[in-house]
Structures are given as structure tokens and as C-alpha cells.
Amino acid sequence: MKKMTDFKAALFDLDGVVFDTEPQYSVFWGAQCREFHPEHPGLENEIKGQTLTQIYDAWFSGDLKPMQAVITERLDAFEQQMSYDYVAHFQSFITLLRSHGVKTAVVTSSNQPKMKAVYSRRPEFKSLFDAILTSEDFERSKPDPDCYLKAAERFGVSPEDCVVFEDSFNGLKSGRAAGMYVVGLATTNPADAIRPFCDEVVGDYQQYV
């Protein structure tokens, strides 16, 4: 187990990593899946951690493609009223990192409308990070390493000097493909399930503060 303050940059996914929002998304996607895929109970659990594009391509293409705009509108409205509660001990941890000169960034597949809701609910959010990269900032989604490599480039540091914090399988694979040290948070998927895809697994940030 490495000492987190020895890294030059700490890169965080957003949902399930900074904010404990995944249970809320399960409620949203559970409703959509029951409406459009009643033949596939529990689908909302299978699509956890996938990007909107991945979900649409796999489950809302063909005859259901016209419904993508409807679901996107619903999702945007849902995200505006979500609660954005930090994962336990996150704020103390990121304060510790910054006090040691570690650069911090959010690297998320979320878009700008979603982030505006975050900034509205959490006015202090921007001050916690040196950079915030969203879906508009990179061409290829996780599990491609593009987003994390761009974050390292933004800070002028090498991948091996970066630690990635992720909860989804696609995110964990992205961090590993980028050649970075990967910490998996068992907030969305069980610890045993994500363990093969990361260097260490934690439930929250308590052990680091």
C-alpha cells in the first residue's frame, strides 16, 4: 500500500468516488429500465458505472433510439434535484493531499449541465480541485485511458506519479490502462468484484486521514 501524499497528482472520478450518488442513480435507471425493458429485471444493476453513450448504444438503440432524448431530458432534470453528499472523509482527505502539494483533479464522464448542478449545490466544490475535466474535455470515454492521460498532461506529470480513485469497472480499467496507481472504492460494486482491477480497495477515505 502506497502513501497517498507521495504522489504528484490525485485524480478522482465523481459519482461513487467524490459523491455518494450511485444509490440515487439506481433509482433513476431502475424506473427507466422497468419502463423500457420490463423483460430484463435488474438491468439498472448491470449498467452501473457505464457512460450514457454506452447505455444508449447497448439498450436504447434501434426502435428505442427516439427515446434517448426523452431519457436525457429526464436525467438532466433528475440531476438538478439530486443531493450531492460527499463520500465519508473525502473532504478531510483532499485537504490533506493539497496541504502536501499533491495536485487534485476530477476526471468524470459527467457533462457541464450536471456540473452546474453540482456547483449550485456545493459552492465550495471548485476550490477543492486544481482541475475539473468533464466529458467535453476528452474524445474517448472510459475504459479508454484518454481522460486520465489528459489529466496527467494538464499537470505536467507522468502517469506513474498519479493515483486514480474509481468505483466502476470501466473507470478502474481506464486508470490501469493509463499506467497509474489505482484505488478502487467499494461504493458501487462489491470489494471482491473490483479487487482484480485495482492496486488497493477501500470503503471510503477514513484510512488515509
Side-chain angles (χ1 to χ4, degrees):
M1 185 178 295
K2 291 193 176 183
K3 189 176 180 182
M4 294 298 113
T5 51
D6 287 342
F7 289 98
K8 293 181 179 179
L11 314 177
F12 297 84
D13 179 41
L14 187 66
D15 295 294
V17 174
V18 175
F19 293 124
D20 188 20
T21 47
E22 288 302 331
Q24 296 175 80
Y25 279 114
S26 292
V27 171
F28 174 83
W29 284 110
Q32 309 313 307
C33 292
R34 284 190 296 274
E35 179 178 349
F36 297 108
H37 284 288
E39 82 290 350
H40 202 113
L43 177 57
E44 66 272 19
N45 297 316
E46 296 181 30
I47 62 177
K48 276 185 178 181
Q50 295 183 12
T51 65
L52 194 57
T53 298
Q54 290 168 333
I55 294 171
Y56 283 166
D57 287 347
W59 296 101
F60 296 92
S61 57
D63 292 342
L64 286 177
K65 189 169 184 178
M67 301 313 300
Q68 292 183 10
V70 174
I71 296 172
T72 298
E73 185 175 345
R74 291 176 181 176
L75 180 60
D76 288 344
F78 183 82
E79 289 176 336
Q80 295 301 313
Q81 55 82 42
M82 282 174 57
S83 60
Y84 293 96
D85 298 322
Y86 290 108
V87 170
H89 305 283
F90 171 77
Q91 287 174 288
S92 297
F93 177 49
I94 201 161
T95 299
L96 175 67
L97 290 174
R98 292 169 67 84
S99 72
H100 282 78
V102 179
K103 294 291 186 180
T104 58
V106 165
V107 183
T108 176
S109 299
S110 298
N111 57 22
Q112 283 298 327
K114 157 77 171 291
M115 297 311 298
K116 287 180 180 178
V118 170
Y119 303 149
S120 175
R121 294 294 183 93
R122 291 290 184 182
E124 77 287 350
F125 183 82
K126 287 184 178 181
S127 68
L128 301 177
F129 301 96
D130 297 294
I132 298 174
L133 283 73
T134 64
S135 61
E136 292 86 357
D137 294 310
F138 36 84
E139 299 172 2
R140 297 178 297 280
S141 297
K142 305 169 186 178
D144 191 280
D146 180 51
C147 58
Y148 282 118
L149 292 174
K150 277 187 168 60
E153 184 180 353
R154 178 82 63 93
F155 290 146
V157 300
S158 61
E160 56 265 29
D161 288 325
C162 298
V163 55
V164 167
F165 295 87
E166 272 284 0
D167 64 316
S168 71
F169 293 109
N170 281 337
L172 295 166
K173 292 175 182 177
S174 175
R176 178 154 282 181
M180 300 176 179
Y181 191 84
V182 179
V183 176
L185 276 90
T187 52
T188 302
N189 298 290
D192 287 343
I194 65 173
R195 201 177 306 278
F197 302 96
C198 48
D199 296 291
E200 59 184 271
V201 178
V202 297
D204 57 36
Y205 299 99
Q206 183 174 12
Q207 69 186 64
Y208 298 134
V209 298

